[in-house]
Amino acid sequence: MAFDTLLLERDGAIATITINRPKVLNALNSQTLDELRRALLELQRDADVRVVILTGAGEKSFVAGADINELAVQTPTGGREHALAGQHVFDLIENLGKPVIAAVNGYALGGGCELAMACTLRIAADTARLGQPEITLGLLPGYAGTQRLPRLVGKGKAMEMILTGAPIAADEAQRIGLVNRVAPAADLMAEAKKLAAQLAASAPIAMRYIMNAVNRGVEMPFADACQYEATLFGLVASSEDMREGTKAFLEKRKPAFKGR
Ligand code: CO8
């Protein structure tokens, strides 16, 4: 599948999507969102791909937000449709069934920060800056930033970031839980690939159910979420991988998970 605004590479079980509009710091326009949706669906269907890395082209920016050229001319109904289309793509990332690692290689602002938050895990370059500057444009975060940010960092810090619009540095983002890890910029992709390789060697079915239990469970009452977890636990117990993982432990060898 060919894309104009993305690069898609596969290296064994790891696929890397690079948002490739460096002249506008990888801002997301409608075409990019649509291409991202198509690329994700392709990777979701591909059983050989177990982990996806998402990053931005160039050294300066992950994604500097939604494309302000499009925002400047949006109509009320068009703005709503645009927001819903973006939210759909971000939900697809969150519920892909495979871990998606954001390698935040620079600015992750507005829709870029929202994109990183939709990913399963985030590693930031020490040079990265993250924030929700929509308020400075007379806007609000429209790709679920008002929802994912407080869930990640707590309501108080999210309010501060969204109301002031001021970006924060990578080390502060790690301190408040917005990113999982920080790496020197030169090592970012190597670190992301190392983590991806670790995840790719794990049991894919258990991993899919874990992400599902966490994503759905945090939206449920605790007792219902525990029931849901128990059901998924029962389901995973029917997998060949569960038999292989437990047998390998008892035989003191490394398991070879097949995703069955
Ligand atoms: N959209 C379009 N173009 C952009 C964007 C963007 N988000 N960000 C940067 N660019 C362009 C610049 O206009 C510039 O173009 P040109 O070379 O033609 O002048 C080029 O990229 C390089 O940028 P700068 O010269 O500004 O680079 P600096 O290093 O001076 O500054 C910054 C870098 C600080 C990142 C600066 O570019 C900036 O502030 N960008 C905008 C950041 C921003 O406000 N992002 C939020 C956008 S709103 C949003 O994301 C809403 C999401 C929800 C949408 C919901 C439904 C529609």
Side-chain angles (χ1 to χ4, degrees):
M1 202 179 278
F3 303 106
D4 293 331
T5 66
L6 305 179
L7 304 172
L8 175 55
E9 294 164 85
R10 286 181 174 78
D11 179 8
I14 302 168
T16 302
I17 300 175
T18 305
I19 312 278
N20 189 27
R21 301 184 73 215
K23 283 189 183 148
V24 288
L25 305 186
N26 306 318
L28 300 172
N29 64 6
S30 311
Q31 182 184 6
T32 315
L33 282 173
D34 189 54
E35 292 189 350
L36 196 49
R37 183 184 60 77
R38 289 195 285 122
L40 289 162
L41 287 173
E42 182 181 320
L43 298 177
Q44 189 178 41
R45 277 191 295 265
D46 187 339
D48 293 336
V49 171
R50 292 197 178 174
V51 183
V52 178
I53 297 174
L54 188 56
T55 193
E59 289 172 3
K60 198 168 165 183
S61 183
F62 173 68
V63 167
D67 192 317
I68 297 170
N69 297 295
E70 285 188 356
L71 295 180
V73 294
Q74 69 192 338
T75 60
T77 49
R80 183 172 185 278
E81 292 309 313
H82 191 165
L84 287 174
Q87 288 173 9
H88 171 75
V89 178
F90 290 21
D91 286 348
L92 180 59
I93 294 173
E94 190 166 68
N95 298 302
L96 198 69
K98 308 177 186 203
V100 182
I101 300 170
V104 181
N105 56 309
Y107 290 115
L109 300 176
C113 188
E114 292 170 302
L115 180 63
M117 288 192 287
C119 294
T120 322
L121 297 169
R122 288 153 289 284
I123 306 185
D126 53 4
T127 51
R129 292 185 70 75
L130 299 93
Q132 298 290 161
E134 286 89 344
I135 189 75
T136 65
L137 300 164
L139 286 168
L140 58 84
Y143 292 145
T146 61
Q147 301 310 305
R148 286 200 178 93
L149 190 58
R151 281 166 172 76
L152 272 176
V153 306
K155 185 174 155 188
K157 193 67 201 175
M159 279 289 193
E160 183 186 340
M161 286 181 67
I162 298 172
L163 291 178
T164 65
I168 59 173
D171 57 350
E172 188 179 358
Q174 184 183 27
R175 192 178 58 74
I176 66 173
L178 179 52
V179 301
N180 299 86
R181 299 181 189 181
V182 176
D187 301 338
L188 177 69
M189 286 314 288
E191 285 295 320
K193 285 182 180 165
K194 199 161 88 185
L195 177 61
Q198 184 190 347
L199 297 179
S202 289
I205 296 175
M207 204 172 281
R208 185 158 73 235
Y209 289 162
I210 288 165
M211 292 183 292
N212 187 277
V214 173
N215 285 336
R216 291 200 54 187
V218 291
E219 306 302 333
M220 291 180 189
F222 187 78
D224 294 351
C226 289
Q227 287 287 325
Y228 188 62
E229 181 191 75
T231 302
L232 294 179
F233 188 86
L235 264 182
V236 88
S238 70
S239 69
E240 279 180 36
D241 283 350
M242 189 280 294
R243 279 191 294 282
E244 165 63 8
T246 48
K247 196 159 169 267
F249 176 82
L250 296 172
E251 292 171 359
K252 301 193 187 309
R253 61 173 173 82
K254 275 196 168 178
F257 294 119
K258 298 200 172 91
R260 292 200 290 261

